[in-house]
Amino acid sequence: MWNDHGKQRWEWLFLIDVLIAIPVICFICVKDKKEALLKTLILICLAALIGSYIIPDEHKVLWPYLEQGRYLVLAIVLLFELAAVYSVYWAINIALKKGQDPDVSIEQSVSRYLGSGKFAQFLCFEIRMWTFALVAKRIHSKTYQGNVHFSYHQKDGTHSNLLGFIILIAIEIPIVHLLLHFIWSPVAANIISLLTIFSLVFFIGEYRAIAKRPISLAEDTLIIRYGLYNPIVIPINNILDIKKNNQPITRGKDLKRFNYSGVPNIEITLNKPQGTIKNLFIGVDDPTNFLASINHRLAP
C-alpha cells in the first residue's frame, strides 16, 4: 500500500528494511550475538548494493552515504576475519606442537573468537582444509581422541581416485584458462581459474585428510571423522544396532552416508535420532574389526 503495490521505490521504505528489520530479525533468530552482528553487517552491505540498482537516483538522499559506507564495513569485517584467522593459526600451531587433537585445537581456537554457531563450524572446516593442504605432515592419526582408530582411505581405491582427480584438475586449469581467455573473456577466465584453484586446494586437503583423520572409538563414544568434514560424536549407548551392509544407499532425510566410492559396508541404527539422523552408513577398510570392536563395547 505504502509503495503503491511495488510501483514506487522510495528510499525511506527500503531504509526501514535495511536499518531496522534486518538487525531485529538477525538478533532474534541468531542466539550468538557476535554471529548475529556479523550477519547483520553482511546483509546490510548486500542490501546497500541491491538498493543502489533498484532505487531511482531522484529518490536517493541518504543512500549515497550508505553505498560508500558499505566499503568501510566490508573492510572492517575483512580485517576482523584476517585477525581471527591469524590468531587461530598461531593457537593451532602451538597445539600441534604439543601433540593435541587437531580437531579439538581448531574448535577451541575458533569458538574462543566466534562462539559455536554455524559460521564458526564453517570456519572450522575452512581452517581444517588449509591445515591439511599446507601442513599435513605435522598431523598424526595417533594424536586424535580415541582408544581405537579405524581407517577408510583404502576402501575401493579411494585414495588413488582422489589423487587422480587432483592430477586432472591441475592439468585442466591452464588449458581451460587459455581457452576462456581468448574465446570468452579474460575476467571470466580469471574468476573460473581462481574457483578451480580453490577446488584443487580442497581436493588436496581432502586427499591428505582421509589418510590422517581416523574414525575413532573412545570409552563411551564413537567419533566419526570423514575427510575434512566436522566430526560426529555418537554415544555408544545410543547405538541400537550395527551390522554389515552390501546394498547401495540412496540419499534420505533421516540417514547420513560416509563413503567415497563403492558401497558403504557398515550400517548403524540409533536408538534416538541425532538431529534428523536415524541411520548412518559408513565405508571402512576393515568392517569386521570395526564391528567386533563396537559390539564388544555394546555387550552387557
Side-chain angles (χ1 to χ4, degrees):
M1 180 180 68
W2 288 354
N3 66 347
D4 195 15
H5 305 286
K7 295 180 181 179
Q8 300 297 332
R9 296 180 175 85
W10 290 303
E11 178 189 68
W12 66 272
L13 289 171
F14 204 33
L15 279 173
I16 292 175
D17 290 333
V18 174
L19 300 180
I20 298 178
I22 288 178
V24 169
I25 292 172
C26 285
F27 279 92
I28 290 177
C29 297
V30 181
K31 294 181 180 180
D32 189 334
K33 300 307 178 186
K34 292 181 181 179
E35 185 178 355
L37 177 61
L38 184 61
K39 288 185 176 181
T40 299
L41 293 175
I42 293 173
L43 290 174
I44 288 176
C45 292
L46 181 61
L49 177 62
I50 295 172
S52 64
Y53 290 101
I54 68 174
I55 299 175
D57 291 336
E58 60 269 19
H59 292 161
K60 292 180 180 179
V61 179
L62 298 175
W63 208 262
Y65 299 101
L66 192 61
E67 291 175 355
Q68 294 174 6
R70 75 175 189 267
Y71 296 111
L72 177 62
V73 173
L74 287 173
I76 293 173
V77 172
L78 181 61
L79 287 174
F80 172 78
E81 291 298 325
L82 290 176
V85 171
Y86 182 78
S87 301
V88 167
Y89 167 78
W90 282 109
I92 293 170
N93 190 41
I94 293 172
L96 290 177
K97 288 181 179 179
K98 294 180 179 179
Q100 297 178 359
D101 185 321
D103 283 353
V104 174
S105 302
I106 291 173
E107 290 172 7
Q108 289 179 346
S109 301
V110 171
S111 62
R112 188 180 307 161
Y113 298 96
L114 299 174
S116 57
K118 291 184 178 180
F119 181 77
Q121 293 178 3
F122 174 76
L123 186 58
C124 285
F125 173 83
E126 289 289 318
I127 293 174
R128 192 179 296 115
M129 179 186 73
W130 287 103
T131 301
F132 275 98
L134 299 177
V135 292
K137 291 183 179 180
R138 299 178 57 186
I139 299 175
H140 304 282
S141 298
K142 63 182 181 181
T143 60
Y144 284 95
Q145 290 182 345
N147 301 325
V148 185
H149 301 303
F150 306 95
S151 64
Y152 49 87
H153 64 287
Q154 296 178 349
K155 178 183 175 294
D156 297 319
T158 295
H159 214 217
S160 300
N161 291 338
L162 274 176
L163 180 59
F165 277 116
I166 292 171
I167 295 173
L168 287 176
I169 293 173
I171 294 174
E172 173 195 14
I173 290 174
I175 298 174
V176 174
H177 180 84
L178 290 174
L179 288 174
L180 292 175
H181 180 88
F182 293 107
I183 296 176
W184 187 10
S185 164
V187 175
N190 292 333
I191 293 174
I192 293 175
S193 294
L194 286 174
L195 292 174
T196 308
I197 291 172
F198 182 80
S199 69
L200 179 62
V201 173
F202 167 78
F203 275 108
I204 291 174
E206 188 83 346
Y207 171 77
R208 293 174 174 176
I210 63 174
K212 299 272 188 175
R213 293 185 78 220
I215 298 172
S216 301
L217 186 60
E219 290 296 332
D220 54 357
T221 57
L222 174 64
I223 307 171
I224 301 177
R225 309 180 190 91
Y226 226 81
L228 294 171
Y229 294 97
N230 293 330
I232 293 179
V233 179
I234 301 173
I236 294 296
N237 57 15
N238 193 33
I239 297 177
L240 176 64
D241 185 36
I242 180 169
K243 59 185 179 181
K244 287 189 177 182
N245 174 73
N246 55 12
Q247 300 296 325
I249 304 300
T250 57
R251 296 181 183 274
K253 294 182 179 180
D254 61 343
L255 62 86
K256 192 79 172 178
R257 299 181 304 177
F258 297 95
N259 190 65
Y260 285 103
S261 59
V263 174
N265 48 29
I266 296 292
E267 177 184 358
I268 298 176
T269 304
L270 303 179
N271 279 308
K272 296 180 180 179
Q274 291 196 195
T276 61
I277 305 303
K278 180 65 176 176
N279 294 86
L280 298 101
F281 294 87
I282 309 173
V284 296
D285 292 340
D286 189 353
T288 302
N289 184 36
F290 185 80
L291 281 173
S293 299
I294 295 182
N295 282 326
H296 178 73
R297 298 292 176 89
L298 290 174

